Amino acid sequence: MKVLVINCGSSSLKYQLFNMENQSVLAKGIVERIGLEGGMLKHQPADKAKVEISENIPNHRVAVKMMLDALTDKNHGVIGDMSEISAVGHRVVHGAEKFSGSVKITDEVMDVLKECISIAPLHNPPNIIGIEAARELLPDVPMVGVFDTAFHQTMPEYAYIYGVPYEMYKKYSIRRYGFHGTSHRYVSMRAAKFLNKPVEDLKMVTLHLGNGSSITAVKNGKSVDNSMGFTPLEGIVMGTRCGSIDPAIVAFIMEKEGITAEKVNDYLNKKCGVLGISGVSSDFRDIEEAAGKGNSRAKLALEVFAYQAKKYIGSYAAAMNGLDAIVFTGGIGENSISIRKMICDEMDYFGIKIDETKNNVRGKEADISADGSKTRILVIPTNEELMIALDTVSLI
Ligand code: ADP
């Protein structure tokens, strides 16, 4: 069975085609700059050379068509025709309280997704456009929606209610939702397998550290808290997002800089984080390089990031009354040896001791804890696309 996984953003569409017999990737790619100048498809078949096609891509329907053409092309394609695609799995950012698991997409589900736009105006519209384009071009293929928020729907009410009047929750659905759920679910399952223990017996903190970063308390296989909130802006400081700040700062900046609510939202999402602190870049490789050359603001940005991550581990250990494992994933978690060390250093009070030699690893599953570390420290590369494909198979 072949399953196509689609992750549609406002101007890009990422895809992977899986052969579910052996969970291998037949081809993957990205359509970039949809609706902008300089549209481009980058298509990588598993056993052939990468192909890049530049052309104007006016909308998502054209992007989906380009992807399907690439997959079925007689030179660089990997399937004979579209009928070989048995199902499509779509990543959807926000399922609000409507979806606590993945669902088969129907007209009714599409209506509910559209209702969720009001609380996820930045993220859900492109996901919906992608689903609509795929349904139009593959009308007979079953499709499944997999939500970033779904895994976190097990959070207890006291973890998701904010200190604002309860009416705000009832009226506008203002509460913590948590994000990156597909990644946290995948790595917590893999970590349990790695440790050869049932996930139901484990208390874990999973750290998805990438351009966006979120940290989850996973107790007995269920998410009980996540550092992201009503939107993916809350939590630890990120590439360009400010993370948790005193909410009074928002009104203060608006007043001092004379900017609107929309502008300040954009500012907090795109101009802050380690980019804003360092003044160097949002990319941790650049920041680490600058810090290595003595740039003090770059060094400070790394320290702020690691310190905030450390505090989440401590608070989630308290929330779960114990901690068996911490799991690093995402571009930074999987690859940054120095950030993992900074986060885990001086945590022996919690039984966390990193082994510097074992920590010398990138991008593969590994146990990097020192002998005698009560809490195991794992690196588990995430694979959200595979998780989406697996959910898709189980639902159709
Ligand atoms: P996204 O959230 O967009 O999926 P990723 O999970 O790919 O992002 O993470 C991107 C981040 O990972 C970037 O900040 C990048 O600098 C960082 N990263 C990737 N490789 C390394 C590395 N070898 N060392 C340090 N940071 C890395």
Side-chain angles (χ1 to χ4, degrees):
M1 179 192 273
K2 290 172 186 125
V3 173
L4 178 63
V5 172
I6 297 179
N7 179 356
C8 204
S10 56
S11 65
S12 73
L13 182 155
K14 291 186 203 152
Y15 61 91
Q16 287 195 20
L17 183 67
F18 285 89
N19 174 1
M20 296 311 287
E21 260 83 80
N22 55 7
Q23 298 186 355
S24 64
V25 177
L26 296 168
K28 62 180 172 183
I30 180 166
V31 187
E32 289 174 316
R33 303 189 60 81
I34 303 168
L36 305 168
E37 292 272 294
M40 161 91 84
L41 167 105
K42 293 177 185 161
H43 175 74
Q44 176 69 70
D47 305 322
K48 297 177 203 165
K50 186 171 179 176
V51 183
E52 294 193 355
I53 300 168
S54 300
E55 66 179 55
N56 245 3
I57 308 165
N59 56 49
H60 287 78
R61 191 179 181 282
V62 174
V64 172
K65 177 84 171 54
M66 273 181 94
M67 167 192 70
L68 293 172
D69 288 346
L71 290 168
T72 52
D73 185 88
K74 63 178 186 321
N75 295 317
H76 52 260
V78 291
I79 49 175
D81 65 75
M82 291 192 316
S83 66
E84 286 186 47
I85 300 171
S86 303
V88 179
H90 292 272
R91 179 202 182 196
V92 185
V93 173
H94 215 315
E97 289 182 336
K98 311 281 186 194
F99 301 103
S100 56
S102 303
V103 288
K104 206 165 156 184
I105 291 170
T106 59
D107 291 341
E108 292 71 38
V109 166
M110 292 306 291
D111 289 343
V112 180
L113 281 181
K114 285 175 189 158
E115 279 172 32
C116 297
I117 289 179
S118 68
I119 55 169
L122 295 177
H123 298 95
N124 276 22
N127 298 155
I128 292 170
I129 291 168
I131 297 172
E132 282 174 340
R135 288 182 97 203
E136 207 182 310
L137 292 163
L138 297 165
D140 301 322
V141 179
M143 303 203 182
V144 166
V146 179
F147 303 89
D148 275 27
T149 47
F151 182 54
H152 303 300
Q153 279 295 302
T154 44
M155 271 191 280
E157 194 175 19
Y158 56 75
Y160 70 70
I161 285 295
Y162 288 117
V164 295
Y166 198 76
E167 292 77 43
M168 291 290 110
Y169 167 51
K170 286 288 160 207
K171 210 163 146 190
Y172 302 121
S173 306
I174 295 175
R175 52 157 283 181
R176 174 184 313 287
Y177 290 99
F179 295 87
H180 286 144
T182 311
S183 175
H184 290 289
R185 179 159 60 102
Y186 178 80
V187 299
S188 56
M189 277 166 46
R190 289 294 315 171
K193 271 217 173 86
F194 187 96
L195 296 171
N196 210 9
K197 290 202 173 130
V199 74
E200 293 77 19
D201 292 351
L202 292 166
K203 293 172 183 172
M204 285 187 247
V205 172
T206 53
L207 298 99
H208 179 111
L209 310 178
N211 284 319
S213 292
S214 71
I215 302 177
T216 301
V218 186
K219 188 178 182 184
N220 311 129
K222 294 198 162 80
S223 168
V224 292
D225 209 345
N226 177 262
S227 59
M228 284 181 167
F230 178 58
T231 73
L233 187 56
E234 196 186 343
I236 67 166
V237 65
M238 303 176 218
T240 59
R241 293 177 223 161
C242 60
S244 301
I245 56 173
D246 180 341
I249 296 170
V250 182
F252 190 84
I253 291 178
M254 287 171 75
E255 206 179 307
K256 291 284 179 196
E257 298 279 317
I259 55 176
T260 60
E262 193 189 339
K263 280 260 161 60
V264 82
N265 201 27
D266 199 59
Y267 178 78
L268 298 172
N269 271 288
K270 298 188 183 148
K271 301 274 192 297
C272 295
V274 290
L275 167 70
I277 299 172
S278 69
V280 172
S281 168
S282 64
D283 191 304
F284 275 67
R285 284 165 291 203
D286 302 337
I287 303 172
E288 285 181 12
E289 195 187 326
K293 288 182 183 152
N295 182 319
S296 59
R297 273 177 56 186
K299 183 166 171 277
L300 176 64
L302 299 174
E303 285 169 352
V304 171
F305 183 82
Y307 177 67
Q308 295 191 359
K310 188 191 277 280
K311 285 204 297 184
Y312 269 104
I313 296 173
S315 63
Y316 286 170
M320 294 188 289
N321 189 23
L323 185 58
D324 299 302
I326 68 176
V327 182
F328 286 103
T329 196
I332 301 160
E334 291 166 29
N335 295 298
S336 177
I337 293 161
S338 60
I339 286 286
R340 289 194 301 250
K341 178 168 157 37
M342 285 170 81
I343 294 173
C344 294
D345 262 353
E346 298 191 29
M347 294 273 274
D348 37 324
Y349 177 78
F350 284 95
I352 297 168
K353 273 191 221 135
I354 196 164
D355 182 310
E356 287 198 33
T357 311
K358 290 185 192 160
N359 185 34
N360 210 355
V361 65
R362 292 187 206 276
K364 62 174 189 197
E365 290 190 358
D367 184 337
I368 57 170
S369 36
D371 291 343
S373 176
K374 211 169 91 216
T375 299
R376 305 285 289 273
I377 311 167
L378 306 179
V379 177
I380 305 276
T382 194
N383 195 339
E384 288 159 285
E385 293 79 12
L386 176 60
M387 191 82 252
I388 293 172
L390 289 167
D391 276 11
T392 303
V393 171
S394 72
L395 276 166
I396 60 153

